[in-house]
Amino acid sequence: KYPYLNTDMPDKTEVLQKTPNTATKMLIEKIEADGNETYLDRFASQQPQCSFGLKGTCCRMCQWGPCRITEKSPRGICGRSQDEIVISNIIRALVSGLAAHGRHAHEIIYTIKGVAEGKINLKLKGTERIIEMAKKLELKISNKTPEQLAGEIADILIEDLSRMDNKNIRLLEVFAPQERKDVWGNLDVLPRSASYEIMEALHMTTLGSCTDWRAIAGQEKRSALAYCYSTLFGSSLATEILFGLPEPKETEVNYGIMKEDHVNILVHGHSPVMIEKVLEKIKLPEIQQLAKDYGAKGIVIGGLCCTGTELLARYGIPTVTNILGQEFVIGTGAVDCVVVDMQCVIPGMKILADCYGTKIITTCNSNRIPGAVHLPFDPEKPETLDEDAYTIARTAVEAYKNRDRSKIKIPKETTKAYGGWGYESIVKTLGGISNIGKLLKNGTLKGIATVVGCNTPKVAYESNHVTIVKKLIEWDILVLTTGCCSHALLNAGLCSKEASELCGNGLKKVIEEYNVPPVMAVGGCVDNTRTLRLFIALSEELGIAIKDMPFMFVGPEPGNEKTVGQGMSFLMHGVSNLVGFPAPIPVPMPKPIAGSADGEMDRGSNNIADYFGGNGALEELGAKIYTEPYPELAAQTIKMHIKRKRNHLGWK
Ligand code: XCC
């Protein structure tokens, strides 16, 4: 059976049996008993999913189509081949993700400008990052305030988002390792900016444009580097300039942090600017008193998706759940209000919010939801920021008095977590970069895997994330995590020192000696930057190219278009990927599968699949993409990959 070909999709019963997340089992049953639907029901109604879509062999890039590739019609109406269609679908997904992170970066960077110019009432807390970046970017530092320097850095980051002339992305120049810059230069894939590469990618793939799949694959690599340096580095570093560097702290997470007799406010999305202000207002004595006046004992804040993991990293605010848990949490009936900014806010959440009387407040003009209260933050029109944040805090608390108490059921589960890791805090806590190098070299740690990304309905909720990571820590592989995967690992208790009992002897020793958890949550998805910086620093410290180091990128449950660029960012640096599902990257199959009713071809695209999953990428970049949907086999593949790297280095 090949799960990515529609034959092995889990239904609700299987999810209930297999999910490692006990709290959600109760909620899935409760929501059904309440007569409401979730993604699980809609996923079942969508079966079987379109197999052309699953393999990327459906072309919708003009209005003559849609065209599908079959044995009878191996080319689209315009003559486009299967290879061209598949690679074009992949690059279009990648640049959509690039646009999303670009818009996120835009908001954060313009906020810095607003603060630097005195127009936005926030303080820049990341002086350490401002000075580091000013030095790297060779700005004149003397006699300048941190605000002035931050303003100059913001201007450079804006250029990295928008440059049209043939110059390199500045963050790439100053953060990427020389070995890689040479590789990318030789491949001619150095990018100009996020905007330019999005434009070029869409241009190359429109009707009657580029028909050379290798050239489109080149543009994919260029776009991936723009994604990595302009929008991941751009957003992550800019957020650190604004709100400071994360520091490790112990906290409790999971659904049980919500309290029936408290106002429960969830924060959701990716860009934590408005929410920073809202948190400030919630602390005001008058807002706290208002909650008491309505009969609540206090106010609980919980985090969803990447805004959640960002706030966990910075303030230890408890996280609750991820993209596929956002409906489950509404089903508790205990959520008074969800304040959402941008991305990964699914329409199903609002449908369910209406069933349980939960108020939704949207704070970004890119994410409007009919029926929600809308109070947008625009860094270029910040005049009403304080007033709007106050209204949001007040509206959220006021929602408590209208809550339908007959429908409340909060799972009891709370889980210890030790989060708040960033590049500097990991290096410092583990005794410096050379010490981490030693731990790797002498085999105390066998390798480092970054296990990240979304959830997918194609596996029992969170089961791939948790199963894979439990195996990795047993084999002494240190795990770093971000985004929705980190919610799964946090709630499963793997981001706490107590998980040491699941670890191999080497990792156990590291946990005891350095007081760290085996799985380090390093923030939102743009904060994969922090992991990449660690990989780069370790490779430079040991004088070994990243491609030869025992590292791996693992995306067990890809969902959002943004995930394509995440994996590609690491691949470009020589870090091989293990992905759970190929879409929209098809995989080479051993042989065509018999019995496809309409005569469609069974292997998405041999050339593209062979390029990414085989020698093409390996020769050019020193890394490739493995695809394995079964979590036990995926874990074995990661172990094998790391073992092979160690063997090549002569490390035991
Ligand atoms: Fe994916 Fe990023 Fe969204 Fe979660 S929140 S679904 S992109 S893992 Ni970032």
Side-chain angles (χ1 to χ4, degrees):
K1 279 187 176 180
Y2 292 90
Y4 36 79
L5 280 186
N6 240 338
T7 55
D8 209 11
M9 298 298 175
D11 59 12
K12 202 183 270 184
T13 316
E14 189 177 337
V15 173
L16 286 169
Q17 276 165 6
K18 291 192 183 161
T19 177
N21 188 323
T22 49
T24 61
K25 285 191 199 178
M26 182 273 267
L27 291 170
I28 291 168
E29 281 162 352
K30 175 182 185 292
I31 293 168
E32 186 168 280
D34 291 343
N36 296 319
E37 70 167 32
T38 64
Y39 80 88
L40 288 166
D41 304 288
R42 295 186 295 270
F43 182 64
S45 328
Q46 285 288 341
Q47 300 306 316
Q49 287 173 288
C50 168
S51 54
F52 296 97
L54 282 170
K55 288 179 294 186
T57 53
C58 171
C59 187
R60 293 189 295 113
M61 281 164 271
C62 77
Q63 289 162 53
W64 294 349
C67 295
R68 300 175 305 174
I69 296 299
T70 64
E71 264 168 21
K72 184 183 99 197
S73 56
R75 285 184 180 269
I77 297 165
C78 71
R80 211 185 272 228
S81 74
Q82 173 168 264
D83 287 335
E84 292 150 39
I85 292 170
V86 168
I87 192 73
S88 299
N89 281 327
I90 298 168
I91 195 175
R92 283 183 167 226
L94 188 149
V95 298
S96 293
L98 171 55
H101 282 317
R103 180 62 181 80
H104 176 173
H106 180 277
E107 178 167 305
I108 306 283
I109 298 164
Y110 273 86
T111 303
I112 295 179
K113 271 186 83 71
V115 177
E117 288 162 11
K119 293 180 189 152
I120 297 180
N121 177 19
L122 279 167
K123 272 208 168 61
L124 300 179
K125 296 185 190 157
T127 313
E128 197 181 332
R129 185 63 77 230
I130 295 172
I131 301 297
E132 185 211 16
M133 289 185 69
K135 282 187 187 154
K136 276 192 181 280
L137 293 164
E138 294 173 350
L139 301 178
K140 260 186 69 191
I141 295 178
S142 57
N143 299 326
K144 285 185 190 155
T145 62
E147 284 72 22
Q148 282 170 318
L149 285 172
E152 288 178 34
I153 294 168
D155 285 335
I156 294 172
L157 302 188
I158 290 166
E159 269 180 47
D160 278 357
L161 279 180
S162 57
R163 181 181 298 106
M164 287 290 141
D165 58 3
N166 192 9
K167 295 203 186 80
N168 291 340
I169 289 183
R170 290 283 284 131
L171 287 187
L172 182 149
E173 282 177 341
V174 302
F175 281 99
Q178 192 55 48
E179 180 264 347
R180 280 292 114 172
K181 284 189 269 189
D182 295 342
V183 169
W184 303 331
N186 289 336
L187 292 172
D188 190 23
V189 295
L190 286 164
R192 299 183 186 196
S193 68
S195 306
Y196 184 84
E197 303 314 336
I198 294 169
M199 181 169 76
E200 182 61 343
L202 294 177
H203 171 224
M204 284 177 82
T205 52
T206 197
L207 174 63
S209 276
C210 186
T211 50
D212 178 350
W213 74 263
R214 286 174 196 282
I216 301 173
Q219 179 58 22
E220 187 185 353
K221 288 171 234 165
R222 220 169 276 122
S223 308
L225 289 176
Y227 175 107
C228 181
Y229 283 101
S230 161
T231 70
L232 289 192
F233 273 75
S235 308
S236 182
L237 297 173
T239 312
E240 291 177 338
I241 287 178
L242 263 183
F243 301 131
L245 273 52
E247 281 295 333
K249 43 188 79 62
E250 297 192 66
T251 184
E252 289 211 321
V253 298
N254 216 332
Y255 292 86
I257 62 108
M258 295 194 299
K259 298 195 181 100
E260 190 165 346
D261 53 8
H262 280 56
V263 180
N264 293 302
I265 302 173
L266 301 183
V267 300
H268 186 3
H270 286 79
S271 172
V273 182
M274 171 61 102
I275 204 60
E276 180 84 12
K277 270 280 158 199
V278 175
L279 293 175
E280 193 183 296
K281 305 300 175 198
I282 286 174
K283 283 191 203 129
L284 290 173
E286 64 206 81
I287 296 289
Q288 293 286 328
Q289 186 55 46
L290 188 67
K292 295 207 173 105
D293 293 346
Y294 291 134
K297 292 202 174 128
I299 302 172
V300 170
I301 312 285
L304 304 183
C305 285
C306 284
T307 291
T309 48
E310 287 253 13
L311 296 183
L312 173 80
R314 222 160 260 121
Y315 304 117
I317 288 177
T319 47
V320 180
T321 189
N322 42 28
I323 187 163
L324 283 189
Q326 65 187 292
E327 292 176 304
F328 302 151
V329 72
I330 299 291
T332 59
V335 183
D336 297 295
C337 181
V338 189
V339 184
V340 311
D341 53 83
M342 55 174 76
Q343 303 160 27
C344 298
V345 178
I346 64 169
M349 184 189 73
K350 176 67 168 66
I351 298 169
L352 219 49
D354 290 343
C355 302
Y356 289 95
T358 300
K359 196 151 223 112
I360 306 292
I361 303 178
T362 50
T363 64
C364 171
N365 274 329
S366 316
N367 275 37
R368 297 295 303 264
I369 302 175
V373 176
H374 185 59
L375 285 159
F377 167 62
D378 178 347
E380 290 169 285
K381 291 185 208 147
E383 298 75 21
T384 57
L385 173 60
D386 274 277
E387 193 186 319
D388 291 343
Y390 184 84
T391 310
I392 292 171
R394 215 188 148 89
T395 310
V397 170
E398 279 169 352
Y400 179 81
K401 67 174 193 287
N402 303 325
R403 199 196 288 169
D404 176 355
R405 273 152 226 291
S406 65
K407 287 186 180 165
I408 300 176
K409 201 167 173 194
I410 305 173
K412 301 231 170 335
E413 283 85 345
T414 57
T415 315
K416 278 195 187 165
Y418 191 21
W421 300 97
Y423 167 63
E424 281 84 355
S425 58
I426 292 176
V427 172
K428 193 170 124 207
T429 313
L430 289 174
I433 204 75
S434 77
N435 193 52
I436 307 174
K438 260 187 226 147
L439 293 169
L440 280 169
K441 216 169 158 177
N442 69 22
T444 310
L445 293 176
K446 290 284 185 280
I448 306 178
T450 171
V451 190
V452 301
C454 321
N455 312 113
T456 177
K458 293 174 182 169
V459 307
Y461 180 61
E462 293 181 346
S463 59
N464 280 27
H465 292 307
V466 174
T467 311
I468 290 174
V469 168
K470 279 189 174 164
K471 282 284 166 207
L472 299 187
I473 60 176
E474 187 189 321
W475 297 329
D476 292 327
I477 296 167
L478 178 70
V479 172
L480 270 57
T481 183
T482 59
C484 287
C485 175
S486 63
H487 288 278
L489 306 179
L490 282 157
N491 286 0
L494 301 176
C495 301
S496 107
K497 285 173 279 180
E498 272 77 7
S500 139
E501 60 190 40
L502 303 172
C503 301
N505 288 336
L507 190 49
K508 226 178 237 169
K509 238 168 62 195
V510 172
I511 294 169
E512 276 152 27
E513 197 172 332
Y514 300 97
N515 190 29
V516 294
V519 179
M520 297 169 126
V522 296
C525 293
V526 294
D527 299 317
N528 284 335
T529 303
R530 294 172 179 155
T531 307
L532 208 40
R533 289 194 74 184
L534 180 69
F535 286 180
I536 293 170
L538 279 166
S539 135
E540 285 175 345
E541 168 68 25
L542 295 170
I544 300 166
I546 299 181
K547 70 180 173 53
D548 298 319
M549 292 287 287
F551 299 149
M552 195 157 205
F553 171 93
V554 187
E557 303 187 21
N560 199 302
E561 288 173 310
K562 287 179 281 181
T563 59
V564 181
Q566 295 285 4
M568 280 294 297
S569 293
F570 281 84
L571 194 79
M572 291 305 295
H573 286 79
V575 181
S576 285
N577 290 195
L578 180 292
V579 295
F581 290 84
I585 300 175
V587 290
M589 301 222 180
K591 60 177 170 18
I593 299 165
S596 36
D598 47 6
E600 72 201 66
M601 291 164 82
D602 290 296
R603 297 178 55 178
S605 160
N606 298 349
N607 282 329
I608 313 301
D610 292 347
Y611 172 79
F612 284 107
N615 286 336
L618 202 57
E619 273 164 24
E620 282 185 1
L621 304 166
K624 62 185 260 188
I625 299 176
Y626 300 85
T627 305
E628 182 47 67
Y630 292 110
E632 294 82 4
L633 298 180
Q636 288 287 351
T637 308
I638 299 161
K639 186 184 183 186
M640 175 202 77
H641 174 79
I642 282 181
K643 181 96 181 67
R644 189 180 292 145
K645 293 287 167 192
R646 296 190 69 84
N647 284 350
H648 280 174
L649 289 166
W651 296 356
K652 286 241 168 71

Short mmCIF file of all heavy atoms in Angstrom, two decimals, residues 295-340:
data_model
loop_
_atom_site.label_atom_id
_atom_site.label_comp_id
_atom_site.label_asym_id
_atom_site.label_seq_id
_atom_site.Cartn_x
_atom_site.Cartn_y
_atom_site.Cartn_z
N GLY A 295 -17.43 37.75 37.04
CA GLY A 295 -17.47 36.49 37.79
C GLY A 295 -16.31 35.55 37.51
O GLY A 295 -16.30 34.42 38.02
N ALA A 296 -15.33 35.98 36.69
CA ALA A 296 -14.19 35.09 36.40
C ALA A 296 -13.12 35.27 37.47
O ALA A 296 -12.98 36.35 38.04
CB ALA A 296 -13.62 35.44 35.02
N LYS A 297 -12.37 34.20 37.74
CA LYS A 297 -11.33 34.29 38.76
C LYS A 297 -10.03 34.86 38.22
O LYS A 297 -9.11 35.15 38.98
CB LYS A 297 -11.07 32.90 39.34
CG LYS A 297 -12.25 32.39 40.17
CD LYS A 297 -11.81 31.33 41.16
CE LYS A 297 -12.95 30.94 42.07
NZ LYS A 297 -13.15 29.49 42.11
N GLY A 298 -9.92 34.95 36.92
CA GLY A 298 -8.70 35.49 36.33
C GLY A 298 -8.75 35.31 34.82
O GLY A 298 -9.80 34.96 34.26
N ILE A 299 -7.61 35.55 34.17
CA ILE A 299 -7.55 35.45 32.71
C ILE A 299 -6.43 34.48 32.34
O ILE A 299 -5.30 34.63 32.80
CB ILE A 299 -7.28 36.83 32.06
CG1 ILE A 299 -8.37 37.82 32.47
CG2 ILE A 299 -7.18 36.71 30.54
CD1 ILE A 299 -8.10 39.27 32.04
N VAL A 300 -6.77 33.47 31.51
CA VAL A 300 -5.76 32.52 31.02
C VAL A 300 -5.46 32.85 29.56
O VAL A 300 -6.39 33.08 28.77
CB VAL A 300 -6.29 31.07 31.12
CG1 VAL A 300 -5.36 30.10 30.38
CG2 VAL A 300 -6.46 30.65 32.56
N ILE A 301 -4.17 32.88 29.22
CA ILE A 301 -3.79 33.05 27.81
C ILE A 301 -3.16 31.74 27.34
O ILE A 301 -2.31 31.18 28.03
CB ILE A 301 -2.72 34.15 27.63
CG1 ILE A 301 -3.07 35.43 28.38
CG2 ILE A 301 -2.44 34.43 26.15
CD1 ILE A 301 -4.15 36.24 27.76
N GLY A 302 -3.58 31.25 26.18
CA GLY A 302 -2.99 30.03 25.62
C GLY A 302 -2.62 30.26 24.17
O GLY A 302 -3.24 31.08 23.48
N GLY A 303 -1.61 29.55 23.69
CA GLY A 303 -1.10 29.80 22.34
C GLY A 303 -1.44 28.70 21.35
O GLY A 303 -1.40 27.52 21.67
N LEU A 304 -1.79 29.12 20.13
CA LEU A 304 -1.99 28.17 19.03
C LEU A 304 -0.95 28.46 17.94
O LEU A 304 -0.48 29.58 17.78
CB LEU A 304 -3.37 28.34 18.40
CG LEU A 304 -4.62 28.23 19.28
CD1 LEU A 304 -5.87 28.36 18.42
CD2 LEU A 304 -4.63 26.92 20.02
N CYS A 305 -0.61 27.44 17.17
CA CYS A 305 0.27 27.55 16.01
C CYS A 305 1.51 28.37 16.33
O CYS A 305 2.04 28.31 17.44
CB CYS A 305 -0.50 28.08 14.80
SG CYS A 305 -1.57 26.81 14.09
N CYS A 306 2.00 29.16 15.36
CA CYS A 306 3.33 29.78 15.53
C CYS A 306 3.31 31.02 16.43
O CYS A 306 4.29 31.29 17.10
CB CYS A 306 3.94 30.08 14.18
SG CYS A 306 4.58 28.57 13.41
N THR A 307 2.20 31.77 16.46
CA THR A 307 2.13 32.85 17.44
C THR A 307 2.26 32.24 18.83
O THR A 307 2.94 32.78 19.71
CB THR A 307 0.81 33.65 17.30
OG1 THR A 307 0.86 34.36 16.06
CG2 THR A 307 0.61 34.65 18.43
N GLY A 308 1.65 31.08 19.04
CA GLY A 308 1.75 30.37 20.31
C GLY A 308 3.18 29.98 20.64
O GLY A 308 3.67 30.23 21.75
N THR A 309 3.88 29.38 19.67
CA THR A 309 5.25 28.92 19.97
C THR A 309 6.20 30.11 20.14
O THR A 309 7.16 30.04 20.90
CB THR A 309 5.76 27.94 18.89
OG1 THR A 309 5.50 28.49 17.61
CG2 THR A 309 5.08 26.59 19.01
N GLU A 310 5.92 31.20 19.42
CA GLU A 310 6.73 32.43 19.61
C GLU A 310 6.59 32.93 21.05
O GLU A 310 7.56 33.33 21.68
CB GLU A 310 6.23 33.54 18.68
CG GLU A 310 6.58 33.33 17.23
CD GLU A 310 7.68 34.28 16.76
OE1 GLU A 310 8.33 34.91 17.61
OE2 GLU A 310 7.89 34.33 15.54
N LEU A 311 5.35 32.95 21.55
CA LEU A 311 5.12 33.49 22.89
C LEU A 311 5.62 32.54 23.98
O LEU A 311 6.06 32.96 25.04
CB LEU A 311 3.64 33.81 23.10
CG LEU A 311 3.07 34.91 22.19
CD1 LEU A 311 1.63 35.20 22.54
CD2 LEU A 311 3.88 36.20 22.28
N LEU A 312 5.59 31.25 23.68
CA LEU A 312 6.18 30.27 24.60
C LEU A 312 7.69 30.55 24.71
O LEU A 312 8.25 30.60 25.80
CB LEU A 312 5.95 28.84 24.10
CG LEU A 312 6.67 27.76 24.91
CD1 LEU A 312 5.91 27.45 26.19
CD2 LEU A 312 6.84 26.48 24.11
N ALA A 313 8.32 30.74 23.55
CA ALA A 313 9.76 30.96 23.53
C ALA A 313 10.13 32.23 24.29
O ALA A 313 11.10 32.27 25.03
CB ALA A 313 10.27 31.04 22.09
N ARG A 314 9.31 33.27 24.13
CA ARG A 314 9.72 34.55 24.70
C ARG A 314 9.25 34.77 26.13
O ARG A 314 9.96 35.33 26.93
CB ARG A 314 9.19 35.66 23.79
CG ARG A 314 10.21 36.73 23.61
CD ARG A 314 9.97 37.58 22.40
NE ARG A 314 10.82 37.19 21.31
CZ ARG A 314 10.40 36.79 20.14
NH1 ARG A 314 9.12 36.70 19.89
NH2 ARG A 314 11.25 36.46 19.20
N TYR A 315 8.03 34.31 26.44
CA TYR A 315 7.48 34.62 27.76
C TYR A 315 7.07 33.39 28.57
O TYR A 315 6.56 33.53 29.68
CB TYR A 315 6.25 35.52 27.61
CG TYR A 315 6.53 36.80 26.84
CD1 TYR A 315 5.90 37.05 25.64
CD2 TYR A 315 7.44 37.72 27.35
CE1 TYR A 315 6.18 38.21 24.93
CE2 TYR A 315 7.73 38.88 26.64
CZ TYR A 315 7.09 39.12 25.43
OH TYR A 315 7.36 40.26 24.73
N GLY A 316 7.21 32.20 27.99
CA GLY A 316 6.75 31.01 28.71
C GLY A 316 5.23 30.91 28.75
O GLY A 316 4.69 30.15 29.55
N ILE A 317 4.54 31.66 27.88
CA ILE A 317 3.07 31.55 27.82
C ILE A 317 2.72 30.14 27.32
O ILE A 317 3.28 29.68 26.33
CB ILE A 317 2.49 32.63 26.88
CG1 ILE A 317 2.61 33.99 27.58
CG2 ILE A 317 1.03 32.34 26.50
CD1 ILE A 317 2.15 35.16 26.78
N PRO A 318 1.83 29.42 28.03
CA PRO A 318 1.57 28.04 27.64
C PRO A 318 0.97 27.90 26.25
O PRO A 318 0.11 28.70 25.85
CB PRO A 318 0.59 27.55 28.70
CG PRO A 318 0.10 28.73 29.40
CD PRO A 318 1.08 29.83 29.22
N THR A 319 1.42 26.88 25.55
CA THR A 319 0.82 26.56 24.25
C THR A 319 -0.29 25.55 24.48
O THR A 319 -0.28 24.82 25.48
CB THR A 319 1.87 25.94 23.32
OG1 THR A 319 2.58 24.94 24.04
CG2 THR A 319 2.85 26.98 22.83
N VAL A 320 -1.24 25.49 23.56
CA VAL A 320 -2.32 24.53 23.68
C VAL A 320 -2.30 23.53 22.53
O VAL A 320 -2.19 22.33 22.73
CB VAL A 320 -3.70 25.22 23.77
CG1 VAL A 320 -4.82 24.19 23.90
CG2 VAL A 320 -3.74 26.18 24.95
N THR A 321 -2.34 24.05 21.30
CA THR A 321 -2.40 23.10 20.19
C THR A 321 -2.05 23.75 18.85
O THR A 321 -1.77 24.94 18.78
CB THR A 321 -3.80 22.43 20.14
OG1 THR A 321 -3.77 21.36 19.20
CG2 THR A 321 -4.88 23.41 19.74
N ASN A 322 -2.12 22.92 17.82
CA ASN A 322 -1.62 23.30 16.49
C ASN A 322 -2.75 23.45 15.46
O ASN A 322 -3.93 23.45 15.83
CB ASN A 322 -0.60 22.27 16.02
CG ASN A 322 -1.05 20.84 16.33
OD1 ASN A 322 -2.23 20.55 16.41
ND2 ASN A 322 -0.09 19.96 16.55
N ILE A 323 -2.37 23.49 14.20
CA ILE A 323 -3.35 23.80 13.14
C ILE A 323 -4.53 22.81 13.15
O ILE A 323 -5.67 23.21 13.03
CB ILE A 323 -2.68 23.88 11.74
CG1 ILE A 323 -3.70 24.37 10.69
CG2 ILE A 323 -2.05 22.56 11.31
CD1 ILE A 323 -3.08 24.86 9.39
N LEU A 324 -4.24 21.52 13.32
CA LEU A 324 -5.35 20.56 13.30
C LEU A 324 -6.01 20.41 14.66
O LEU A 324 -7.02 19.72 14.79
CB LEU A 324 -4.89 19.20 12.77
CG LEU A 324 -4.71 19.12 11.25
CD1 LEU A 324 -4.47 17.70 10.79
CD2 LEU A 324 -5.90 19.72 10.49
N GLY A 325 -5.47 21.07 15.68
CA GLY A 325 -6.13 21.04 16.99
C GLY A 325 -7.00 22.27 17.21
O GLY A 325 -7.72 22.35 18.22
N GLN A 326 -6.96 23.23 16.26
CA GLN A 326 -7.67 24.50 16.51
C GLN A 326 -9.19 24.31 16.58
O GLN A 326 -9.88 25.08 17.24
CB GLN A 326 -7.28 25.57 15.49
CG GLN A 326 -7.68 25.31 14.06
CD GLN A 326 -7.09 26.36 13.12
OE1 GLN A 326 -7.46 27.52 13.16
NE2 GLN A 326 -6.14 25.96 12.29
N GLU A 327 -9.69 23.28 15.90
CA GLU A 327 -11.13 23.00 16.04
C GLU A 327 -11.39 22.26 17.35
O GLU A 327 -12.38 22.52 18.03
CB GLU A 327 -11.61 22.17 14.86
CG GLU A 327 -11.60 22.94 13.56
CD GLU A 327 -11.99 22.05 12.39
OE1 GLU A 327 -11.35 21.01 12.17
OE2 GLU A 327 -12.95 22.40 11.69
N PHE A 328 -10.50 21.32 17.69
CA PHE A 328 -10.71 20.54 18.92
C PHE A 328 -10.80 21.47 20.13
O PHE A 328 -11.64 21.30 21.00
CB PHE A 328 -9.56 19.54 19.14
CG PHE A 328 -9.36 18.55 18.03
CD1 PHE A 328 -8.11 18.00 17.77
CD2 PHE A 328 -10.43 18.14 17.22
CE1 PHE A 328 -7.92 17.08 16.75
CE2 PHE A 328 -10.25 17.22 16.19
CZ PHE A 328 -8.98 16.69 15.96
N VAL A 329 -9.91 22.46 20.17
CA VAL A 329 -9.88 23.32 21.36
C VAL A 329 -11.16 24.15 21.46
O VAL A 329 -11.68 24.38 22.55
CB VAL A 329 -8.59 24.18 21.41
CG1 VAL A 329 -8.59 25.28 20.37
CG2 VAL A 329 -8.42 24.79 22.79
N ILE A 330 -11.71 24.55 20.31
CA ILE A 330 -12.98 25.29 20.34
C ILE A 330 -14.07 24.38 20.91
O ILE A 330 -14.96 24.82 21.65
CB ILE A 330 -13.37 25.77 18.93
CG1 ILE A 330 -12.31 26.72 18.36
CG2 ILE A 330 -14.75 26.43 18.94
CD1 ILE A 330 -12.21 28.05 19.01
N GLY A 331 -13.96 23.07 20.61
CA GLY A 331 -14.94 22.09 21.08
C GLY A 331 -14.98 21.94 22.60
O GLY A 331 -15.91 21.33 23.13
N THR A 332 -13.99 22.47 23.32
CA THR A 332 -14.06 22.43 24.78
C THR A 332 -15.24 23.28 25.27
O THR A 332 -15.70 23.10 26.40
CB THR A 332 -12.79 23.01 25.44
OG1 THR A 332 -12.64 24.37 25.02
CG2 THR A 332 -11.54 22.22 25.09
N GLY A 333 -15.67 24.22 24.44
CA GLY A 333 -16.74 25.14 24.86
C GLY A 333 -16.26 26.16 25.88
O GLY A 333 -17.05 26.94 26.40
N ALA A 334 -14.95 26.15 26.15
CA ALA A 334 -14.44 27.01 27.21
C ALA A 334 -13.63 28.19 26.68
O ALA A 334 -13.10 28.98 27.46
CB ALA A 334 -13.54 26.17 28.14
N VAL A 335 -13.53 28.29 25.35
CA VAL A 335 -12.73 29.38 24.80
C VAL A 335 -13.62 30.61 24.61
O VAL A 335 -14.60 30.56 23.87
CB VAL A 335 -12.10 28.97 23.44
CG1 VAL A 335 -11.22 30.09 22.91
CG2 VAL A 335 -11.32 27.68 23.57
N ASP A 336 -13.28 31.68 25.29
CA ASP A 336 -14.10 32.89 25.17
C ASP A 336 -13.78 33.65 23.89
O ASP A 336 -14.66 34.18 23.24
CB ASP A 336 -13.88 33.78 26.40
CG ASP A 336 -14.35 33.07 27.65
OD1 ASP A 336 -15.56 32.82 27.76
OD2 ASP A 336 -13.50 32.70 28.49
N CYS A 337 -12.49 33.67 23.55
CA CYS A 337 -12.10 34.48 22.41
C CYS A 337 -10.81 33.95 21.80
O CYS A 337 -9.92 33.51 22.53
CB CYS A 337 -11.90 35.92 22.89
SG CYS A 337 -11.45 37.05 21.58
N VAL A 338 -10.71 33.97 20.47
CA VAL A 338 -9.44 33.68 19.80
C VAL A 338 -9.02 34.93 19.05
O VAL A 338 -9.79 35.46 18.23
CB VAL A 338 -9.55 32.50 18.81
CG1 VAL A 338 -8.16 32.09 18.32
CG2 VAL A 338 -10.25 31.30 19.43
N VAL A 339 -7.83 35.42 19.35
CA VAL A 339 -7.30 36.59 18.64
C VAL A 339 -6.33 36.07 17.59
O VAL A 339 -5.34 35.42 17.93
CB VAL A 339 -6.56 37.54 19.61
CG1 VAL A 339 -6.10 38.80 18.87
CG2 VAL A 339 -7.44 37.91 20.80
N VAL A 340 -6.64 36.30 16.32
CA VAL A 340 -5.82 35.71 15.26
C VAL A 340 -5.13 36.81 14.45
O VAL A 340 -5.68 37.87 14.23
CB VAL A 340 -6.66 34.82 14.31
CG1 VAL A 340 -7.51 33.84 15.10
CG2 VAL A 340 -7.55 35.61 13.38
#
